[in-house]
Amino acid sequence: MTTTAPNFSCTHIVEADVTAAAIWALYADVTSWPEWDAQAELVTRDAPFAAGSTGSMKFAGQEPLSYRLTRVDPLREFVDETPVGDLTVRVSHLLEPLADGQLRITYSAQIDGPPQQAREAGPMITADFPATMGALIALARKRSG
């Protein structure tokens, strides 16, 4: 089997003193996404938080986008896939408990499609990862504390 590399990829990692359960609760509750993702205005999901479920995301200044959950491993990882014009954006949200009690949170984006478009759109799509992850952690701490 031959696989090709995405036309754009970006990974951002943070470690925080928060539990996987607290973060996962926010992931699974898509109505909370606008509370920790400043660009999200409305997120819906048509079925339980499981692989194959679909929904839509409305970001500031954009038309709603349909997405599909391609992988859901509770308390560990979920991957969403969103077609954006000629591009396909996949984002992995990985949770790894560490020996010192911290939680490593990794967001990895891969964008496939026309190479020039992917390279231009990629930085815009991923620029808010640090702020989004910081807000996610803060809300998880607030709700679990």
Side-chain angles (χ1 to χ4, degrees), residues 6-95:
N7 292 316
F8 176 87
S9 63
C10 174
T11 299
H12 185 73
I13 300 169
V14 296
E15 294 180 6
D17 59 344
V18 64
T19 67
I23 296 293
W24 195 262
L26 294 173
Y27 286 161
D29 176 12
V30 296
T31 64
S32 78
W33 290 16
E35 295 179 60
W36 50 268
D37 185 333
Q39 297 300 311
E41 293 179 351
L42 177 68
V43 181
T44 66
R45 188 179 65 241
D46 302 331
F49 196 66
S53 293
T54 60
S56 67
M57 297 183 279
K58 168 82 172 82
F59 293 101
Q62 297 180 20
E63 292 298 315
L65 299 168
S66 297
Y67 72 90
R68 181 172 60 96
L69 299 176
T70 60
R71 176 183 171 95
V72 178
D73 183 2
L75 299 176
R76 175 82 177 142
E77 180 185 28
F78 84 92
V79 178
D80 59 77
E81 181 178 280
T82 307
V84 182
D86 293 334
L87 302 175
T88 300
V89 179
R90 285 177 203 82
V91 180
S92 165
H93 310 75
L94 179 64
L95 306 177

